[in-house]
Amino acid sequence: MRGYFTGKTVYITGAASGIGFETAKQLIAQGSNLVLFDVQPLDESLSALKGMNKHNMSIATYKLDVTDADMTSKQIAVAAEHLSPDILMHFVGITGPWTFDEMSQEQFERVMAINLFGTRNVLAAIRPFLSRGKQVMVTASMSSFTGSYGYSSYSASKFAIWGMMQSISFEWKPLGIDITVFAPPPIDTPLTQSEVGVMSQAGVGMKKLAGKLKIEDAVKSMLKGVENRAFLVVPGTMANLIRLQLRFFPVSWVNWIGNKTVALSLKK
């Protein structure tokens, strides 16, 4: 069976767990060569993927801390010496489920360092190996378009990623390099599970407005978007309704709904 990703070399950051690992699983089934990066150990992920590797594709792993720009450049360059990338899929990110009043400067800076500067570091490192026809997929969030209770650091990082990727797309599109921004609603991953018991009820209530997707379905939507070279992929019915609301309704209406949701959540 041949498909869009068959025979392509896909670099995946954040591949040890969550959406990155699920993407690796779906791509190895489609016959992609995988180059996997994560700051966490990749031994278990590699073992699982080898067991699924029916097409005998190449799988390589590299330790990577995206907040270290020099390390990121060196590791991606080493990987490219062995297998040049056709597609980059960047999933590294952390949440920040604290209200502004509860959050320390250190917590805020860590979210920005990993989510925003980490994304910048990966893009800068991969750029020398991108040419016409190559693709980049960066993970944003529904929080790229709308704020949420308890998400001031996370939303700040994701709003910035959205703006950065729009600007880079204007620069790279004429060179034949296509960008996809993946902006999912909440997905059941270790990232969202880490918020349990930390995020306030008001934050949980606002997140529920966007619905919740199964990780398998979210990744399938993302891969279809990359295949179609779509700039924006927003999976899920509720998430798309919110996106349309943000486009066509005044911000006062959107804020009214958010404030009502917060008020109801705080009463519980």
Side-chain angles (χ1 to χ4, degrees):
M1 181 184 71
R2 291 194 62 83
Y4 182 77
F5 296 99
T6 304
K8 286 185 169 64
T9 297
V10 183
Y11 283 29
I12 302 175
T13 66
S17 63
I19 306 177
F21 180 53
E22 176 61 29
T23 299
K25 289 195 297 182
Q26 293 194 25
L27 287 175
I28 200 68
Q30 296 186 46
S32 299
N33 296 308
L34 301 180
V35 181
L36 312 177
F37 302 88
D38 208 302
V39 71
Q40 303 298 329
L42 282 156
D43 298 349
E44 291 186 12
S45 300
L46 179 60
S47 178
L49 291 168
K50 283 182 176 179
M52 303 170 61
N53 191 9
K54 297 179 181 180
H55 304 287
N56 295 315
M57 306 307 293
S58 174
I59 309 174
T61 63
Y62 297 87
K63 185 176 179 63
L64 180 64
D65 178 357
V66 299
T67 65
D68 186 330
D70 289 338
M71 177 188 187
T72 302
S73 294
K74 290 174 182 176
Q75 288 291 72
I76 288 181
V78 169
E81 287 181 5
H82 295 89
L83 276 175
S84 182
D86 294 306
I87 304 171
L88 165 72
M89 295 187 176
H90 177 60
F91 295 105
V92 176
I94 62 169
T95 186
W98 318 284
T99 63
F100 186 82
D101 291 345
E102 297 170 335
M103 179 174 45
S104 68
Q105 180 178 345
E106 182 180 10
Q107 287 173 317
F108 184 89
E109 290 183 354
R110 183 167 184 266
V111 172
M112 298 299 287
I114 293 174
N115 293 1
L116 178 58
F117 287 94
T119 300
R120 178 266 163 205
N121 292 341
V122 170
L123 292 174
I126 200 81
R127 179 62 186 91
F129 310 103
L130 298 178
S131 55
R132 185 168 297 276
K134 303 296 180 74
Q135 293 177 259
V136 168
M137 191 291 301
V138 167
T139 306
S141 166
M142 282 301 296
S143 293
S144 297
F145 315 121
T146 180
S148 185
Y149 190 102
Y151 259 1
S152 58
S153 61
Y154 185 73
S155 290
S157 69
K158 295 299 184 176
F159 265 81
I161 287 172
W162 171 247
M164 179 170 68
M165 298 318 297
Q166 277 196 308
S167 297
I168 292 175
S169 180
F170 292 139
E171 297 171 10
W172 291 3
K173 182 72 172 179
L175 304 177
I177 302 168
D178 287 316
I179 286 173
T180 296
V181 177
F182 179 44
I187 301 171
D188 188 17
T189 66
L191 186 69
T192 56
Q193 290 166 11
S194 70
E195 297 177 342
V196 176
V198 179
M199 176 170 275
S200 68
Q201 281 301 114
V204 172
M206 288 197 77
K207 284 183 66 176
K208 287 181 179 178
L209 289 175
K212 194 172 185 178
L213 285 183
K214 292 182 178 180
I215 191 170
E216 298 86 355
D217 295 335
V219 170
K220 286 178 182 177
S221 294
M222 180 274 293
L223 292 177
K224 179 58 68 175
V226 172
E227 180 177 347
N228 293 333
R229 294 180 179 261
F231 176 70
L232 176 64
V233 177
V234 180
T237 301
M238 289 302 298
N240 276 285
L241 287 174
I242 290 176
R243 179 71 174 138
L244 289 173
Q245 175 182 273
L246 293 168
R247 288 182 61 188
F248 296 110
F249 287 80
V251 68
S252 57
W253 168 258
V254 176
N255 286 351
W256 182 82
I257 293 176
N259 286 328
K260 284 293 184 182
T261 302
V262 169
L264 289 171
S265 299
L266 291 175
K267 285 182 180 180
K268 294 180 180 179

